[in-house]
Amino acid sequence: MGHIGSVYYTNKESERRETYLTKCMKYLKSLDYTTLEARDKSIEAKSSEKAKKMEAMKQKYELDMRVIRKETNQRFNQIMVIIQHSQKLTQIKPEALLNENFSQ
């Protein structure tokens, strides 16, 4: 079949084995478990890292929201105290406070 004199058949058996393992085997294996396991571990590590980042972002967001709510409540309470101490402001309808002419 034309194999006589082929480089493959003239190599020593150890060389043929090496050629088979290094060049051919990766194409002949149906499943390479070591590669699959390494890829799986890599994906798990990346996923775990992203989960940690997301958790840190979530905690920062919640902390920021608590700070914003606290500041908003303090400002609202300050405004209410000012309104309660001012007779003129207590007689004004709340809608009028939003009017541009009043704020000038």
Side-chain angles (χ1 to χ4, degrees):
M1 296 184 90
H3 293 294
I4 298 173
S6 169
V7 176
Y8 180 77
Y9 287 104
T10 58
N11 290 340
K12 296 178 184 175
E13 185 178 340
S14 61
E15 291 174 358
R16 288 194 310 256
R17 287 177 187 243
E18 184 65 28
T19 300
Y20 177 75
L21 286 173
T22 58
K23 294 183 179 179
C24 301
M25 193 61 171
K26 62 183 174 183
Y27 299 108
L28 297 175
K29 284 184 178 180
S30 60
L31 286 176
D32 183 4
Y33 287 105
T34 56
T35 303
L36 291 175
E37 288 171 354
R39 188 179 301 156
D40 186 44
K41 287 179 184 176
S42 173
I43 291 170
E44 285 179 12
K46 288 178 184 178
S47 177
S48 176
E49 182 180 330
K50 288 191 185 239
K52 287 178 185 176
K53 286 181 181 180
M54 289 295 292
E55 184 61 31
M57 289 173 63
K58 180 181 174 185
Q59 289 176 358
K60 184 180 181 322
Y61 169 79
E62 289 173 357
L63 178 64
D64 290 347
M65 289 305 295
R66 275 188 248 132
V67 169
I68 290 170
R69 285 185 189 108
K70 183 177 179 181
E71 289 175 357
T72 302
N73 285 337
Q74 287 175 345
R75 289 180 182 160
F76 177 76
N77 290 336
Q78 289 173 346
I79 291 170
M80 292 306 294
V81 167
I82 291 170
I83 290 173
Q84 289 171 354
H85 285 92
S86 173
Q87 288 295 342
K88 181 179 178 183
L89 289 177
T90 57
Q91 296 174 2
I92 297 173
K93 293 182 180 180
E95 297 82 24
L97 295 174
L98 299 174
N99 188 348
E100 288 183 22
N101 294 331
F102 182 76
S103 61
Q104 292 176 351

